Amino acid sequence: MPRKRPVPNETGSEALKHLKIDDTSSDSDPSDTKPTEHVTDAFLDTICRNSLDFDFEEQCSVSLSTTNIYACLVCGKYFQGRGQQTHAYFHSINDEHHVFINLKTLHVYVLPDNYEVMDKSLNDIKDVIQPTYSTRDVMRIDDIIGHRHDLMGRPYTVGCVGLNRVKHTSYINVIIQTLAHIRPIRNFLLTLSNLDKQPPLVRKLSMVVRRMWHARRFKAHISPHECVQEIVVLSKGRFGLDKEADPFELLVWMLNTLHGMVRKKKTSVVYETVRGEMQVATWKVQDMLQDDMVEDVEATISTMPFLALSLELPPTPLFTHPSTDDEDERANIPQVALGTLLQRYNGTTTVETNGLVQQYTVTNLPAYIVCHVKRFTKHNMSEKNLTVVNFPVRNVPFGDLLHVHGSISVTYDLVVNVCHVGHQGKSAVDGAVLTEFEESPFFAYVRQGENLWFRVHDLQVEPVMPQMLFLSDSYIQVWQRN
C-alpha cells in the first residue's frame, strides 16, 4: 500500500510558515534564498544512507544533463532540477521518494511540495558529499589514523582507502595513492578553497583526496571515476582506459600539469615539494679521443632541475644456473643495493650516452625525493628487468650517498613504494624475457603514521610488515626528508 504523506499539525496560515514554495524550472539554480525558520520533516526517516554514492559524475540519470543536479536521498539516483515538469519532480510523484539534495549548494528539499528542510541529522550526508578541512584538522589528520567502519560494518583505514578500478587503470590508482601521501601536496588539496573556481583536474583530484582522508565514510572504498576521466581528456588520450600505461610517465605529467594550474609567482607547492637541482658536466667523446690528455678537455657545465632520479638497473645476466623444481624460482635473480644505484648522481660516476660523457652532481635535495627504477625497455613495457633492489625503509642518508654539499647528515624515510607484478616467460623469437601483464599489474605500499604499512591494490587494502617491501619489484619510490 503506498505511503501516505504526513499531514502537518498546523492548519491554514500556521502551516505555511514552515513551507517555502518554489516552482523554479530545471534551467536555473533555485537554492539562493533560505527559509526564515528551522524546518524539520517526517520524510527524513525515508532516507537510505546505504544507497548513497556520491563518487560518480553529477549527471541526470534521465536527461544526462550536468547542470542543477539533485540526488534522491532515498534511492541515490541523480535528477535535474526540482521545479514542476522536472525529472526530480516526476520521480518524487511516481516513486514516492520525497527528499532531495542539491549537489552544489547542499540544500535539502522535499518534493513535490518544494520546500527546504534544515536539520542537523543531514550534516553527515553533506560532509560526505563535500568534505571540508580546516588548518587545525589538517595538522591533526595524521594523529587520527586508525580503523573505521562504514555503514555496512566493513573496516577501512583513514587515508588508505581502496580505489575502484575503471577498466585498465591500476596505473592511475597508484599515482593517486602516491599524491595523497605526499604530505605538502595532500595538505594543499585538503585545504584548497573555492573548488568551483579551480581547474577541473585540481578540483576532482582534491575531492578524491578529501574523501580518502575522511573519517566518517558511508562506504569503505572510493570510485575515482571523474578524476580518471579528466586525466584521459586532458592528456588527449595519452593515458587511457583500454590498456595499462607507465605510471612514472603519468606521475611526471601530473606533477607538471598541477604545477601549471596552481602556481603563483613562478612557483607552486608541487615544485617546492619534489623538485631538486643537479649540475651536469658534459664532454664530447670525439674531443676526448682526439686529445691525449683527457683531463685537459674542458667540460660544459649546466644546471638543471629534476622531479625524479632515474636509477639504471644492471643488465640481466645472460647465463644463470638452472634451477630445479625444489629451488626457489627467484634464486637466480640478481640483487643490487639502493646505494649502488644512487652512485650515478654522486658527482664522480660518468655515464656515456649518444656520443656524450656526462657526470651528474646533485646540488639541492628536495623535501620529497622520487626515485624511478627503470625496469622496462623504452616504449616496450613487456621486457622487464627482474633485478631485486634492496633498501632500508628508514634513515637512508641521501645527502651522504650523493655527496650533497651542506646536506651530508640529511636522511630520508620511505613513504610510498609502487611495485609491478607480472608473469615472465621466454620469447619464442629471440629468447628475451617478456612480461605478461596481470589484469591489474601495479600496486602500492603506503606508510601511515610512524611505521604502519599497507598494501593497496585497487580495492584491496591489507597491512604488511616493513620487511616485506623489498620482496616486490619496486618501480617508483617516494622518500620523505626527516
Side-chain angles (χ1 to χ4, degrees):
M1 185 174 181
R3 176 191 176 103
K4 293 184 178 179
R5 297 167 56 199
V7 179
N9 296 329
E10 300 87 357
T11 59
S13 59
E14 294 182 357
L16 295 178
K17 292 181 180 179
H18 296 287
L19 300 182
K20 179 190 172 190
I21 307 300
D22 192 343
D23 57 352
T24 310
S25 64
S26 62
D27 297 329
S28 61
D29 190 353
S31 57
D32 294 335
T33 59
K34 297 181 179 180
T36 57
E37 297 187 18
H38 179 81
V39 181
T40 58
D41 193 89
F43 285 118
L44 297 184
D45 63 349
T46 64
I47 296 176
C48 182
R49 286 170 171 80
N50 291 336
S51 302
L52 304 181
D53 190 347
F54 303 107
D55 293 338
F56 295 98
E57 183 179 3
E58 298 177 4
Q59 186 179 64
C60 177
S61 59
V62 180
S63 65
L64 303 183
S65 173
T66 58
T67 58
N68 198 20
I69 301 301
Y70 289 78
C72 175
L73 297 184
V74 181
C75 64
K77 294 181 180 180
Y78 291 177
F79 298 95
Q80 183 184 20
R82 77 168 194 270
Q84 295 183 3
Q85 307 301 320
T86 63
H87 300 294
Y89 182 87
F90 292 134
H91 179 73
S92 67
I93 296 176
N94 296 333
D95 295 73
E96 295 191 349
H97 294 174
H98 300 289
V99 189
F100 294 80
I101 186 170
N102 187 295
L103 296 179
K104 291 295 184 183
T105 64
L106 302 184
H107 292 181
V108 180
Y109 299 89
V110 169
L111 299 182
D113 291 334
N114 202 7
Y115 61 89
E116 183 177 356
V117 177
M118 301 177 64
D119 194 280
K120 292 182 179 180
S121 65
L122 301 171
N123 290 343
D124 61 333
I125 298 178
K126 298 178 181 180
D127 202 24
V128 169
I129 298 176
Q130 294 183 9
T132 56
Y133 300 83
S134 64
T135 304
R136 184 181 179 184
D137 294 334
V138 172
M139 292 177 61
R140 299 185 306 170
I141 196 169
D142 293 312
D143 299 331
I144 65 173
I145 294 173
H147 291 294
R148 300 289 191 275
H149 292 82
D150 64 1
L151 296 180
M152 301 296 293
R154 293 170 296 192
Y156 71 93
T157 303
V158 178
C160 286
V161 181
L163 299 180
N164 189 26
R165 177 167 49 86
V166 184
K167 292 187 177 180
H168 302 282
T169 57
S170 68
Y171 73 101
I172 298 180
N173 287 349
V174 295
I175 297 306
I176 294 177
Q177 294 283 359
T178 299
L179 295 176
H181 287 84
I182 299 179
R183 189 171 298 175
I185 298 178
R186 178 203 68 184
N187 294 348
F188 171 79
L189 294 173
L190 291 180
T191 58
L192 189 62
S193 59
N194 299 323
L195 282 182
D196 292 338
K197 299 180 181 179
Q198 300 295 335
L201 178 61
V202 177
R203 181 176 69 253
K204 294 175 182 179
L205 178 61
S206 176
M207 289 305 301
V208 173
V209 175
R210 292 179 183 215
R211 290 167 180 171
M212 290 177 62
W213 288 93
H214 191 236
R216 296 178 297 276
R217 292 193 48 77
F218 288 173
K219 297 182 181 295
H221 61 272
I222 295 175
S223 177
H225 175 75
E226 286 191 90
C227 186
V228 171
Q229 290 289 351
E230 186 62 29
I231 291 174
V232 174
V233 174
L234 200 59
S235 66
K236 299 180 180 180
R238 178 182 176 186
F239 305 105
L241 309 178
D242 296 332
K243 65 177 182 179
E244 297 285 345
D246 189 345
F248 177 70
E249 293 184 2
L250 174 61
L251 176 61
V252 174
W253 179 86
M254 287 280 289
L255 293 176
N256 287 320
T257 303
L258 292 175
H259 164 73
M261 292 179 175
V262 302
R263 65 179 176 181
K264 296 180 179 179
K265 297 181 180 181
K266 298 183 179 180
T267 186
S268 69
V269 65
V270 178
Y271 276 12
E272 291 175 355
T273 302
V274 299
R275 191 172 74 162
E277 288 186 355
M278 68 171 59
Q279 190 179 79
V280 183
T282 305
W283 297 269
K284 292 183 179 180
V285 176
Q286 184 177 2
D287 295 342
M288 299 179 67
L289 294 177
Q290 293 176 354
D291 199 321
D292 295 335
M293 299 295 295
V294 178
E295 295 81 0
D296 296 338
V297 179
E298 185 176 357
T300 302
I301 306 298
S302 61
T303 301
M304 59 179 293
F306 67 88
L307 294 178
L309 297 177
S310 294
L311 307 181
E312 294 279 354
L313 292 175
T316 304
L318 296 177
F319 303 99
T320 59
H321 298 287
S323 60
T324 62
D325 296 338
D326 297 333
E327 293 178 344
D328 187 4
E329 295 180 359
R330 300 175 66 92
N332 295 322
I333 297 178
Q335 301 184 25
V336 62
L338 177 65
T340 303
L341 300 179
L342 290 173
Q343 291 178 0
R344 177 187 179 96
Y345 302 98
N346 61 7
T348 60
T349 304
T350 57
V351 180
E352 182 178 348
T353 55
N354 300 326
L356 299 175
V357 176
Q358 293 181 320
Q359 191 177 79
Y360 304 97
T361 306
V362 175
T363 58
N364 183 26
L365 289 174
Y368 284 75
I369 298 178
V370 179
C371 293
H372 168 222
V373 182
K374 301 181 69 174
R375 291 194 175 275
F376 303 99
T377 57
K378 191 174 182 180
H379 304 303
N380 184 11
M381 294 187 67
S382 62
E383 296 186 16
K384 176 181 176 182
N385 191 323
L386 301 178
T387 301
V388 176
V389 180
N390 297 322
F391 53 89
V393 297
R394 304 296 295 269
N395 299 322
V396 176
F398 272 83
D400 188 19
L401 294 173
L402 299 176
H403 301 167
V404 180
H405 179 70
S407 303
I408 300 300
S409 59
V410 175
T411 60
Y412 285 74
D413 292 344
L414 185 67
V415 291
V416 179
N417 186 31
V418 177
C419 301
H420 176 270
V421 60
H423 298 292
Q424 291 77 37
K426 294 289 185 179
S427 171
V429 179
D430 54 5
V433 178
L434 301 181
T435 301
E436 296 180 4
F437 271 17
E438 299 277 349
E439 186 177 2
S440 179
F442 294 102
F443 64 92
Y445 292 107
V446 296
R447 194 189 79 187
Q448 292 285 78
E450 290 298 323
N451 204 28
L452 294 177
W453 285 92
F454 293 88
R455 184 181 187 269
V456 185
H457 195 173
D458 294 333
L459 292 175
Q460 301 176 2
V461 180
E462 56 184 2
V464 296
M465 297 295 293
Q467 295 81 1
M468 304 295 292
L469 268 62
F470 70 92
L471 297 180
S472 303
D473 297 331
S474 300
Y475 189 56
I476 301 174
Q477 294 182 339
V478 179
W479 296 83
Q480 176 187 0
R481 182 166 56 195
N482 293 325

